[in-house]
């Protein structure tokens, strides 16, 4: 029997928090271990209960963004997914930079949210595709030659990176390319090493920059 993914939900709006908790509880493979409404609650829950995934809002007492480094200092293995209404690129960048593994908008459906949680629990990062696109379009041109960086990748790595930039998870990429998911993860490790980036969003940014450079 597969171990359930243990989830904590931190949000200062009780009705929303209860809705998320109820929805996930009705989906097989999830266990809600705690609820909270503040950065202080999030820190306590991470330390004491060690959930696999912590869903956390940005706008709450103590501040969700402020809470990320405090949580990771006490519980370095904690995977945090921001679940918020904020579409601001600065918030996305700050959350990922502080160590969050996911960034999702509150309009997401329960089944899609469950998929995101599974993705992050498996070791991947996830950012709502529309927000990834905003980050890419607002990013200033990098000084490094991104085209040359992408050209250093193998043809298979380029194929994987293109699909990552389109918003696909490792699982979906594996299905599309008829590969094992662990093989895709290996390719992603190699891609990030060669590109000098630390997460999927940054890798996708390099891909977009390379495409832009080639078009010029």
């Amino acid at each position: 029997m597969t171990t359930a993914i243990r989830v904590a939900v931190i949000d200062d709006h009780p009705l929303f928090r209860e809705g998320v908790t109820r929805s996930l509880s009705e989906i097989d493979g999830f266990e809600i271990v705690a609820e909270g409404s503040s950065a202080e609650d999030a820190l306590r829950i991470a330390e004491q209960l060690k959930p696999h995934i912590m869903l956390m809002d940005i706008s709450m007492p103590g501040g969700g963004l402020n809470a990320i480094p405090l949580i990771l200092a006490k519980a370095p293995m904690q995977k945090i997914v921001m679940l918020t209404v904020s579409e601001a690129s600065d918030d996305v960048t700050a959350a990922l930079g502080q160590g969050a593994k996911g960034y999702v908008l509150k309009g997401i459906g329960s089944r899609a949210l469950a998929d995101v949680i599974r993705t992050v629990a498996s070791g991947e990062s996830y950012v709502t595709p529309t927000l990834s696109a905003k980050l890419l379009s607002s990013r200033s041109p990098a000084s490094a030659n991104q085209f040359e960086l992408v050209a250093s990748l193998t043809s298979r790595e380029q194929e994987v990176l293109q699909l990552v930039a389109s918003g696909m998870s490792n699982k979906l990429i594996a299905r599309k390319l008829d590969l094992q998911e662990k093989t895709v993860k290996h390719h992603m490790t190699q891609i990030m090493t060669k590109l000098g980036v630390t997460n999927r969003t940054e890798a996708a940014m390099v891909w977009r920059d390379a495409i832009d450079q080639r078009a010029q």
Side-chain angles (χ1 to χ4, degrees):
M1 181 178 176
T2 304
T3 303
I5 298 175
R6 303 170 69 252
V7 180
V9 183
I10 315 297
D11 193 290
D12 65 339
H13 291 83
L15 284 176
F16 178 80
R17 188 175 68 240
E18 290 167 12
V20 172
T21 297
R22 186 180 308 111
S23 296
L24 290 176
S25 297
E26 294 172 353
I27 300 174
D28 288 341
F30 294 94
E31 177 189 356
I32 305 300
V33 296
E35 295 181 35
S37 61
S38 66
E40 183 178 355
D41 288 342
L43 182 58
R44 173 179 52 79
I45 290 167
E47 280 190 276
Q48 296 178 2
L49 299 178
K50 298 178 172 56
H52 296 127
I53 300 292
M54 178 170 286
L55 298 177
M56 187 165 66
D57 195 8
I58 283 180
S59 178
M60 65 180 187
L65 294 177
N66 295 333
I68 297 172
L70 299 177
I71 292 169
L72 294 179
K74 295 290 186 180
M77 302 306 292
Q78 180 64 65
K79 294 182 173 68
I80 300 170
V81 176
M82 308 310 292
L83 181 57
T84 178
V85 297
S86 174
E87 299 184 40
S89 295
D90 287 349
D91 285 341
V92 182
T93 302
L96 298 177
Q98 296 276 35
K101 297 299 183 184
Y103 196 103
V104 186
L105 297 178
K106 283 188 173 181
I108 192 171
S110 59
R111 293 287 172 180
L113 178 59
D115 285 341
V116 171
I117 293 173
R118 293 188 191 100
T119 294
V120 174
S122 74
E124 300 179 46
S125 298
Y126 182 90
V127 177
T128 296
T130 54
L131 297 181
S132 291
K134 283 179 65 177
L135 282 178
L136 294 171
S137 63
S138 64
R139 189 172 183 245
S140 59
S143 57
N145 190 327
Q146 310 292 23
F147 182 76
E148 289 184 0
L149 287 175
V150 170
S152 72
L153 304 178
T154 66
S155 57
R156 177 61 91 185
E157 289 167 350
Q158 290 184 31
E159 195 173 16
V160 169
L161 181 54
Q162 182 179 12
L163 295 175
V164 168
S166 73
M168 294 178 67
S169 67
N170 283 357
K171 182 176 292 185
L172 291 177
I173 293 171
R175 289 177 185 169
K176 185 174 180 64
L177 299 181
D178 194 24
L179 298 172
Q180 294 290 325
E181 188 174 353
K182 64 181 180 181
T183 302
V184 176
K185 288 182 179 180
H186 173 72
H187 284 314
M188 278 308 304
T189 299
Q190 293 297 106
I191 288 167
M192 290 189 290
T193 298
K194 290 180 180 180
L195 299 183
V197 299
T198 58
N199 60 56
R200 297 164 70 85
T201 300
E202 290 178 353
M205 289 177 178
V206 173
W207 174 265
R208 179 61 62 87
D209 284 345
I211 296 302
D212 289 345
Q213 286 183 3
R214 186 165 60 182
Q216 291 174 0

